[in-house]
């Protein structure tokens, strides 16, 4: 029997609902339950694919090619279950579905209304594509009280009434601010937020209260009294310095116990096996060495813009038992510099990573960083745009094609990176029209790549075929393969039909590799992406730690 847990947020935004949801999922999973994680966002974009990373943080790509909210990345990292297209929905997608149905006449002449048509469409999502999960967790984006979230709450209320209130648990993440001068944690914003949620007909079952400190008995009593919950259902979500501490911290505070009690499962539930969480925290708490990595990117001002990448580097640190210090260098800042100044700037780093990205800003800075790494035998790892830049760098500086460039940025060039028009997915030809919508027109999701025998890539993956996730429109022109190979720059991974370059490397360099995909999306704290692990190993060699 499936139970439904809804995670809502009140008082303020940015309380970390995504990680809270992922942590609850991981605790239920640690008890042996089959868990599914989902996200409902109220905004009007059909999906986050067209949003700037500065607006909304990273766009996370699922195995089956959905462009989703970065919270799905937290779910996959904490719970280890691959999310699917059907695990994320936006207000925009819901309205789009409703209006499409209306145009097709599917409402048989009815007046199409918010209730029941939009709420029904939302309930369809809530119930869709479930496969005998024990628990399905739905994180509800936005803050209770936002106008655009109203219909989500209405649909959830209706749903809980239909499946039975006892089969739904509402976890409400709120904030207890600490007022320095009063020396107290304040409960009133939470009390009012609980009332705000009640206006939608939803009673919070568990209050998960972000707090700087443990919640004193008096505040628990007060919250229980005003908010209709027992004092055990007031759970502290204490501030921690490392997100991977959260599942253990919630467990100590009794959160999973309260969720299970809510469903009447506590007495029969297995004890959680939290060994793997203790193990990674033990490693992270006892690093003896460190390496310094320069990430030369574009969206350096907002930590969330490269969320999965940061986490994958953390995972690589865990798997190599070495702290990874990351510095985020705005590639634009390297553009006006001489090669010598770039070298001086990058000298403190044991390795250079050029991540994915879109748009021309900072491109020449990335290319300069790659020249530095290639010429000075500094470990280099390029991701997606990072690979494209490595190809341009090689065409310019190894083949002497001074105006080599990508047609993403200019038509006045010798194009070595060009827009893909046709590619294969599961044996089918995918064709993208020259003109058309921006959303969902990329090569998205996991595709196979065949790795060259005895290449660095094959050694790293210990396999001749890999499946990594993609999100791109442009691709290296494979006709440069031979000329570049003569200069020691090889294509070591290709799509199975041999047409699309997937991995490049320089065998004579200590570590120079780049992929047309995003391996960071698959990296987990308990199972680091092989490429990230090898990259940090190379940085450790550079730092003479190995
Ligand atoms: N802008 C490049 C492309 O569309 C790279 C995309 C990326 O790095 N994800 O191909």
């Amino acid at each position: 029997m499936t139970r439904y847990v809804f995670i809502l947020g009140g008082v303020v935004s940015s309380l970390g609902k995504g990680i809270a949801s992922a942590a609850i999922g991981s605790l239920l999973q640690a008890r042996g339950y089959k868990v599914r994680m989902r996200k409902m966002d109220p905004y009007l974009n059909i999906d986050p694919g067209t949003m700037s990373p500065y607006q909304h943080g990273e766009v996370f790509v699922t195995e089956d090619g959905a462009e989703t909210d970065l919270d799905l990345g937290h779910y996959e990292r904490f719970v280890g279950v691959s999310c699917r297209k059907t695990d994320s929905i936006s207000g925009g997608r819901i309205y789009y579905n409703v209006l499409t149905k209306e145009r097709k006449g599917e409402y048989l002449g009815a007046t199409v209304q918010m209730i029941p048509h939009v709420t029904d469409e939302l309930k369809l999502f809530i119930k869709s594509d479930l496969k005998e999960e024990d628990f399905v967790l739905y994180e509800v984006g936005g803050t209770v009280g936002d106008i655009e979230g109203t219909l989500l709450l209405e649909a959830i209320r209706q749903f809980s009434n239909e499946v039975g209130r006892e089969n739904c648990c509402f976890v409400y993440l709120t904030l207890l601010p600490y007022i320095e001068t009063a020396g107290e944690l304040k409960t009133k914003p939470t009390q009012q937020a609980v009332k705000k949620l009640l206006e939608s007909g939803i009673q919070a079952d568990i209050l998960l209260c972000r707090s700087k400190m443990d919640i004193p008995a008096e505040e628990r009593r007060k919250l229980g009294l005003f908010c209709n919950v027992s004092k055990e259902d007031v759970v502290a979500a204490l501030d921690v310095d490392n997100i991977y501490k959260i599942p253990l911290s919630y467990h100590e505070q009794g959160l999973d116990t309260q969720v299970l009690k809510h469903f009447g499962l506590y007495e029969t539930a297995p004890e959680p096996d939290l060994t793997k969480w203790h193990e990674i925290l033990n490693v992270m708490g006892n690093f003896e060495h460190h390496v310094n990595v320069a990430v030369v990117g574009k969206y350096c001002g907002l930590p969330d813009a490269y969320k999965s990448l940061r986490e994958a580097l953390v995972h690589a640190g865990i798997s190599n038992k070495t702290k990874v210090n990351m510095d985020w260098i705005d590639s634009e800042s390297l553009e006006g510099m001489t090669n010598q100044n770039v070298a001086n700037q990058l000298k403190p780093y044991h390795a250079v990573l050029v991540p994915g990205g879109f748009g021309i800003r900072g491109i020449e800075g990335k290319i300069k960083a790659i020249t530095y790494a290639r010429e000075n035998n500094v470990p280099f790892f390029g991701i997606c745009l990072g690979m494209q830049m490595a190809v341009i760098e090689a065409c310019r500086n190894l083949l002497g094609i001074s105006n080599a460039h990508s047609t993403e940025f200019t038509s006045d060039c010798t194009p070595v990176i060009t827009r893909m028009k046709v590619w294969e997915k599961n044996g089918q030809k995918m064709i993208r029209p020259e003109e058309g919508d921006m959303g969902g027109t990329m090569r998205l999701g996991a595709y196979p790549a065949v790795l060259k025998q005895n290449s660095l890539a094959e050694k790293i993956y210990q396999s001749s075929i890999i499946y990594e996730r993609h999100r791109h429109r442009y691709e290296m022109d494979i006709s440069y393969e031979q000329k570049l190979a003569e200069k020691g720059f090889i294509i070591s991974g290709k799509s199975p039909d041999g047409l699309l370059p997937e991995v490049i490397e320089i065998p004579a360099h200590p570590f120079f590799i780049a992929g047309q995909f995003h391996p960071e999306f698959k990296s987990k704290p308990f199972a680091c992406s092989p490429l990230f692990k090898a990259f940090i190993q190379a940085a450790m060699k550079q730092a003479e730690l190995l």
Side-chain angles (χ1 to χ4, degrees):
M1 184 181 158
T2 305
R3 271 108 179 160
Y4 306 89
V5 181
F6 293 91
I7 297 101
L8 307 142
V11 181
V12 289
S13 59
S14 303
L15 289 178
K17 243 186 305 146
I19 294 182
S21 307
I24 300 171
S26 71
L27 288 176
L28 292 169
Q29 189 190 49
R31 291 178 185 262
Y33 292 113
K34 189 174 171 201
V35 173
R36 181 88 172 266
M37 307 289 307
R38 294 187 146 173
K39 175 98 200 249
M40 308 167 80
D41 267 313
Y43 52 70
L44 287 182
N45 302 62
I46 301 275
D47 61 41
T50 53
M51 289 190 207
S52 155
Y54 272 127
Q55 275 277 314
H56 202 69
E58 149 190 295
V59 174
F60 185 78
V61 180
T62 59
E63 201 71 357
D64 60 3
E67 294 180 283
T68 69
D69 191 89
L70 58 79
D71 284 320
L72 276 81
H74 296 311
Y75 308 161
E76 289 203 3
R77 287 187 284 274
F78 277 61
V79 185
V81 176
S82 279
C83 291
R84 298 201 279 267
K85 268 189 181 147
T86 48
D87 289 330
S88 121
I89 198 86
S90 68
R93 165 64 66 191
I94 292 290
Y95 292 121
Y96 185 84
N97 290 354
V98 170
L99 294 177
T100 307
K101 285 182 183 171
E102 186 273 333
R103 289 291 82 183
K104 285 190 183 157
E106 288 185 24
Y107 296 116
L108 305 174
T111 306
V112 180
Q113 293 179 301
M114 294 298 186
I115 304 169
H117 300 101
V118 174
T119 44
D120 280 356
E121 193 65 32
L122 278 160
K123 285 191 283 181
L124 271 184
F125 162 72
I126 295 174
K127 291 182 273 200
S128 67
D129 193 29
L130 294 179
K131 300 216 163 57
E132 294 175 354
E133 285 82 1
D134 297 307
F135 291 97
V136 191
L137 280 69
Y138 299 85
E139 179 194 346
V140 183
T143 307
V144 168
D146 295 346
I147 289 176
E148 57 183 4
T150 323
L151 283 170
L152 288 185
L153 297 180
E154 170 59 14
I156 293 168
R157 183 196 65 74
Q158 292 178 14
F159 175 79
S160 72
N161 198 33
E162 285 164 23
V163 296
R165 188 60 181 83
E166 66 286 5
N167 296 319
C168 296
C169 179
F170 294 105
V171 178
Y172 200 16
L173 184 62
T174 72
L175 174 71
L176 300 184
Y178 179 75
I179 304 293
E180 213 67 57
T181 45
E184 278 177 5
L185 284 176
K186 288 296 181 189
T187 63
K188 193 142 299 165
T190 296
Q191 293 176 36
Q192 292 180 348
V194 168
K195 297 222 162 77
K196 191 81 206 155
L197 181 59
L198 265 176
E199 284 174 17
S200 310
I202 296 175
Q203 165 67 50
D205 296 311
I206 295 173
L207 302 181
L208 183 57
C209 305
R210 281 292 302 268
S211 170
K212 264 168 98 144
M213 59 191 68
D214 203 5
I215 310 170
E218 176 52 19
E219 274 69 22
R220 280 179 197 269
R221 191 194 62 78
K222 240 197 231 173
L223 281 167
L225 179 70
F226 288 107
C227 304
N228 273 337
V229 296
S230 73
K231 58 183 189 312
E232 290 74 30
D233 282 321
V234 178
V235 178
L238 298 171
D239 294 350
V240 287
D241 56 5
N242 170 357
I243 55 167
Y244 297 114
K245 289 183 178 168
I246 293 176
L248 293 179
S249 168
Y250 282 4
H251 177 63
E252 276 161 29
Q253 298 294 327
L255 180 59
D256 45 331
T257 303
Q258 292 313 117
V259 172
L260 292 168
K261 279 188 176 163
H262 175 81
F263 291 115
L265 291 172
Y266 182 62
E267 305 305 325
T268 51
E271 276 297 302
D273 179 2
L274 299 168
T275 323
K276 63 179 186 180
W277 291 99
H278 285 292
E279 275 169 9
I280 61 162
L281 290 175
N282 190 26
V283 172
M284 292 174 100
N286 293 292
F287 286 139
E288 281 176 14
H289 304 290
H290 72 268
V291 290
N292 303 326
V293 173
V295 183
V296 182
K298 176 173 165 185
Y299 318 103
C300 297
L302 180 78
D304 276 356
Y306 294 115
K307 191 76 210 166
S308 296
L309 181 76
R310 276 173 195 270
E311 294 309 318
L313 286 168
V314 171
H315 307 159
I318 297 171
S319 63
N320 286 300
K321 297 193 164 51
T322 297
K323 180 159 176 25
V324 177
N325 294 327
M326 310 162 208
D327 269 350
W328 300 77
I329 297 176
D330 187 345
S331 55
E332 223 177 352
S333 72
L334 303 179
E335 286 189 340
M337 286 188 190
T338 60
N339 285 355
Q340 186 53 48
N341 284 349
V342 172
N344 292 344
Q345 167 104 10
L346 295 179
K347 214 181 165 90
Y349 302 100
H350 304 117
V352 173
L353 192 159
V354 176
F358 295 82
I360 194 166
R361 185 169 65 76
I363 285 297
E364 295 302 324
K366 290 179 185 179
I367 293 174
K368 280 196 168 164
I370 296 171
T371 309
Y372 163 79
R374 184 178 57 74
E375 289 182 345
N376 293 283
N377 286 332
V378 175
F380 165 75
F381 177 20
I383 295 178
C384 205
L385 184 69
M387 166 169 152
Q388 298 173 358
M389 294 305 106
V391 171
I392 293 172
E393 197 277 332
C395 287
R396 287 186 189 174
N397 299 325
L398 296 177
L399 301 184
I401 309 170
S402 59
N403 69 342
H405 220 319
S406 163
T407 54
E408 178 176 357
F409 309 122
T410 175
S411 52
D412 183 19
C413 67
T414 302
V416 295
I417 306 289
T418 54
R419 194 164 161 153
M420 267 181 307
K421 292 196 179 71
V422 181
W423 66 95
E424 244 185 48
K425 181 156 200 168
N426 305 330
Q428 272 192 320
K429 272 208 155 51
M430 310 285 287
I431 300 172
R432 213 218 5 265
E434 204 53 53
E435 301 298 328
D437 291 348
M438 285 300 274
T441 55
M442 283 187 265
R443 183 170 175 245
L444 288 167
Y447 282 86
V450 178
L451 304 180
K452 201 180 172 81
Q453 247 188 1
N454 296 325
S455 62
L456 176 61
E458 194 202 42
K459 276 184 210 130
I460 288 173
Y461 279 96
Q462 297 280 304
S463 172
S464 56
I465 182 144
I466 57 169
Y467 292 82
E468 292 281 14
R469 299 184 194 173
H470 294 69
R471 182 172 183 250
H472 63 123
R473 287 192 184 90
Y474 294 80
E475 179 76 41
M476 171 187 178
D477 181 342
I478 201 160
S479 64
Y480 288 93
E481 179 172 20
Q482 188 55 37
K483 283 200 185 110
L484 283 168
E486 284 162 17
K487 300 286 180 188
F489 183 108
I490 64 160
I491 298 176
S492 58
K494 289 182 187 168
S495 56
D497 60 9
L499 295 179
L500 300 178
E502 291 277 11
V503 189
I504 59 89
E505 57 191 73
I506 299 181
H509 188 284
F511 189 95
F512 191 103
I513 191 162
Q516 188 52 75
F517 42 77
H518 291 266
E520 68 271 30
F521 290 142
K522 281 193 162 180
S523 190
K524 311 273 187 308
F526 316 105
C528 177
S529 150
L531 262 174
F532 277 86
K533 184 173 177 182
F535 175 57
I536 294 305
Q537 258 162 16
M540 289 166 73
K541 278 193 199 130
Q542 184 77 1
E544 295 177 358
L545 294 172
L546 289 179

